Amino acid sequence: MPVTSHPAFPRAAIEWLMPARDQARVLVLGRASAPVLTGIASEGLLVACDASRGGVRALWARAPHALPVVAASEHLPFPTGTFDVVFLHQSLHRLDPAALAEVTGVLAPGAHLAISYTVRDDSVPWVRRLTALLRDVDPAAMAGAYGTESVDRLTESGLFSEIEERHHRLWVPISRVDLLDMVARRFPDLDADRLGRLMGEVGDLYESSARVPEPLLLPYQVSCWRAWADPRRVPPPPAHPDGAVSIKV
């Protein structure tokens, strides 16, 4: 079962991922970053970039002050060293491996690539019991394949000299009705009798786990990485590639 909503992104995570200095130049890549974009307050330059117009509109709707740019990550139309940070949320695994060299090319000296994923935390006992109930119906349920394994590409690429990692716990209230609805949507074609038994078991789990009158808390983990480009290994692209967007700050 994937993340079914967009829980609030921890302020501490944004502060760790973003440059500490004022007037930072930030490039946000991909529409999946839209839920986090609202919390990125840059007094410098903020660019929202996606390969499709629809993706750019989704980003710009969260940050109307951002400069919208339609461009593929493999062909970024920016001069060398334009940004202090390039940020991707929930999407590194969708990035073409060849795009990493393109990303490092637009990073300024001392700048970094920032990556984050919000994933469900299955270490909590009641979540493990929920997993067991769902896997009794479908062994592949709640497999937790979020794409975080793609972070290994950073080391394998040889483009980065240093990679840091940090994790933040996030608790999201979920009501009994919402939990049952989440389960029902996971099994839309399940036999009515079997679905009824499953819903009863999930309802009992909720009642035994929630502290009345508080709702049950669904645990998430926000995993973050900062990767600094190794200037000795990054082949510099042309200073002003054809069709580049010239940005002055």
Side-chain angles (χ1 to χ4, degrees):
M1 189 185 305
V3 174
T4 55
S5 61
H6 295 298
F9 201 81
R11 185 72 230 167
I14 292 178
E15 292 174 352
W16 188 78
L17 288 164
M18 292 296 114
R21 69 180 184 82
D22 295 333
Q23 302 298 320
R25 299 163 298 171
V26 179
L27 171 62
V28 176
L29 280 181
R31 69 184 303 160
S33 302
V36 185
L37 191 54
T38 303
I40 299 177
S42 175
E43 297 179 4
L45 172 70
L46 180 61
V47 177
C49 181
D50 189 83
S52 70
R53 292 183 181 275
V56 170
R57 282 195 293 267
L59 290 166
W60 192 72
R62 299 296 185 109
H65 60 291
L67 173 65
V69 174
V70 178
S73 55
E74 298 85 0
H75 303 286
L76 295 176
F78 308 109
T80 304
T82 298
F83 298 100
D84 299 302
V85 63
V86 176
F87 173 69
L88 297 93
H89 176 66
Q90 219 82 3
S91 58
L92 180 64
H93 59 288
R94 299 191 184 98
L95 197 69
D96 188 314
L100 281 178
E102 188 79 1
V103 168
T104 54
V106 300
L107 287 172
H112 66 275
L113 171 63
I115 296 163
S116 63
Y117 278 90
T118 299
V119 301
R120 194 186 58 251
D121 185 345
D122 295 343
S123 65
V124 176
W126 80 262
V127 178
R128 291 201 298 268
R129 295 199 297 272
L130 176 64
T131 299
L133 290 175
L134 301 190
R135 287 184 179 171
D136 188 51
V137 177
D138 178 5
M142 295 182 76
Y146 301 103
T148 52
E149 69 284 349
S150 61
V151 175
D152 292 340
R153 296 178 187 172
L154 302 182
T155 302
E156 295 166 358
S157 71
L159 294 170
F160 300 92
S161 59
E162 183 181 357
I163 301 172
E164 295 181 341
E165 181 176 351
R166 180 174 292 188
H167 302 279
H168 300 263
R169 177 65 69 84
L170 183 62
W171 299 93
V172 179
I174 186 169
S175 68
R176 186 178 188 276
V177 170
D178 287 340
L179 181 62
L180 292 173
D181 179 64
M182 188 168 68
V183 172
R185 285 187 283 110
R186 175 63 180 79
F187 300 105
D189 302 318
L190 191 62
D191 174 82
D193 290 340
R194 183 65 186 94
L195 179 61
R197 292 198 301 273
L198 175 61
M199 298 290 272
E201 293 167 339
V202 172
D204 291 343
L205 170 62
Y206 188 97
E207 297 298 337
S208 65
S209 302
R211 291 187 295 176
V212 178
E214 298 297 326
L216 202 54
L217 296 177
L218 187 61
Y220 290 93
Q221 179 174 275
V222 179
S223 299
C224 306
W225 292 265
R226 298 188 302 197
W228 277 266
D230 186 342
R232 299 168 300 176
R233 302 183 181 181
V234 178
H240 290 281
D242 293 341
V245 176
S246 181
I247 297 175
K248 296 181 180 179
V249 181

